[in-house]
């Protein structure tokens, strides 16, 4: 149980392109999902908390206009990287949990490369 | 500032030995504690979680928590080469930050045959 699916696994695109990443909870409903970013040889950094039916909560230093989050249903959250630039290249990972007292389970991650 | 600290390693142990991974945290209000394993190029995978002081065992893995010392550890018995990975300690904050995980920088474990 507690399977989280993330799509796509890899994205390579040109600078200035917008990229959408999907995160789905497959066997449970998630009112809250989390988006992380991980640079090479570094740990996970929380970018934002995605809340179903309301605005996402962004961590300090994360540009909300650049990283658009939409949590339109109890099983789907999307992260759109707008006007992506090479410095946005990273490993983006989402997570979700069945309820607030359960551990977070991670999707497989999306490796984003901006040329 | 809320922090989670781990020895980055690398920690190298021979096959069959016990690997001991340690983590300290700064926020006394932290509620729950997790160990994730991350293979190179992959996303983290939950290994253990612990909420109460003491030991929790699951197969070859034992998590230990000491809230008074703000210390959590993971023991891996009978280490196997397949255990070679980065181990991330994560802490679930309390209060208004409940539910958010703060990760340590990870400990690289290498189990050699």
């Amino acid at each position: 149980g507690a399977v989280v699916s993330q799509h796509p696994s890899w994205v390579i695109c040109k600078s200035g392109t917008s990229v959408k990443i999907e995160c789905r909870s497959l066997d449970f409903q998630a009112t809250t999902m989390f988006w992380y970013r991980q640079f090479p040889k570094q740990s996970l950094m929380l970018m934002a908390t995605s809340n179903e039916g309301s605005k996402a909560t962004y961590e300090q230093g994360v540009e909300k206009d650049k990283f658009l989050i939409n949590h339109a249903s109890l099983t789907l959250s999307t992260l759109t990287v707008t006007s992506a630039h090479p410095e946005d290249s990273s490993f983006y990972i989402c997570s979700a949990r069945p309820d607030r007292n359960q551990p977070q389970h991670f999707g497989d991650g999306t490796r984003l490369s901006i040329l | 500032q809320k922090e989670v600290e781990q020895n980055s390693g690398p920690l190298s142990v021979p096959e069959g030995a016990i690997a001991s991974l340690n983590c300290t945290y700064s926020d006394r209000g932290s509620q729950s504690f997790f160990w994730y394993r991350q293979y190179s190029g992959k996303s983290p995978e939950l290994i253990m979680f612990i909420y109460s002081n003491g030991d929790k065992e699951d197969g070859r893995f034992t998590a230990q928590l000491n809230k008074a010392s703000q210390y959590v550890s993971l023991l891996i018995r009978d280490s196997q080469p397949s255990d070679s990975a980065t181990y991330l300690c994560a802490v679930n904050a309390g209060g208004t930050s409940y539910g958010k995980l703060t990760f340590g920088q990870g400990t690289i474990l290498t189990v050699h045959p």
Side-chain angles (χ1 to χ4, degrees):
Chain A
V3 178
V4 178
S5 173
Q6 191 172 338
H7 178 81
S9 300
W10 285 84
V11 179
I12 301 174
C13 58
K14 295 180 179 180
S15 185
T17 305
S18 291
V19 178
K20 180 184 284 188
I21 303 169
E22 293 187 349
C23 180
R24 294 181 184 271
S25 55
L26 297 187
D27 53 359
F28 64 97
Q29 293 183 331
T31 56
T32 303
M33 294 184 176
F34 301 90
W35 288 96
Y36 295 85
R37 181 167 54 182
Q38 186 176 36
F39 291 108
K41 300 190 185 302
Q42 295 186 23
S43 192
L44 278 74
M45 294 298 295
L46 180 65
M47 298 176 65
T49 303
S50 173
N51 304 299
E52 188 270 334
S54 64
K55 291 182 178 180
T57 305
Y58 291 82
E59 295 300 298
Q60 190 172 8
V62 177
E63 300 175 60
K64 59 181 66 177
D65 293 332
K66 181 166 188 64
F67 299 100
L68 301 179
I69 292 172
N70 184 14
H71 195 151
S73 77
L74 288 171
T75 60
L76 174 64
S77 174
T78 61
L79 168 68
T80 301
V81 184
T82 62
S83 186
H85 292 285
E87 59 266 29
D88 298 322
S89 299
S90 188
F91 190 40
Y92 291 86
I93 315 171
C94 71
S95 73
R97 58 186 184 211
D99 64 64
R100 68 193 308 234
N101 294 314
Q102 295 289 322
Q104 290 182 26
H105 294 267
F106 287 86
D108 288 338
T110 298
R111 197 160 300 281
L112 176 61
S113 294
I114 307 300
L115 305 178
Chain B
Q1 181 176 352
K2 299 177 175 58
E3 289 186 348
V4 177
E5 297 196 11
Q6 298 178 250
N7 187 332
S8 61
L11 173 66
S12 181
V13 300
E15 184 175 358
I18 296 175
S20 178
L21 306 162
N22 304 313
C23 173
T24 58
Y25 59 95
S26 61
D27 181 9
R28 283 196 171 275
S30 298
Q31 300 289 323
S32 46
F33 308 86
F34 306 86
W35 284 99
Y36 288 88
R37 177 176 63 197
Q38 187 175 26
Y39 292 113
S40 181
K42 302 295 185 181
S43 68
E45 171 192 10
L46 181 68
I47 298 296
M48 292 282 292
F49 59 94
I50 186 166
Y51 298 155
S52 303
N53 277 329
D55 295 359
K56 179 181 179 183
E57 185 175 319
D58 184 1
R60 296 187 296 113
F61 300 95
T62 299
Q64 299 174 317
L65 174 62
N66 184 326
K67 288 187 177 180
S69 300
Q70 296 176 237
Y71 174 92
V72 58
S73 65
L74 178 70
L75 300 178
I76 306 175
R77 289 181 299 281
D78 188 24
S79 295
Q80 301 297 310
S82 59
D83 294 326
S84 299
T86 297
Y87 288 80
L88 299 168
C89 172
V91 175
N92 191 341
T96 57
S97 296
Y98 188 84
K100 295 167 124 176
L101 290 182
T102 301
F103 284 84
Q105 69 270 37
T107 298
I108 299 171
L109 172 66
T110 301
V111 180
H112 53 87

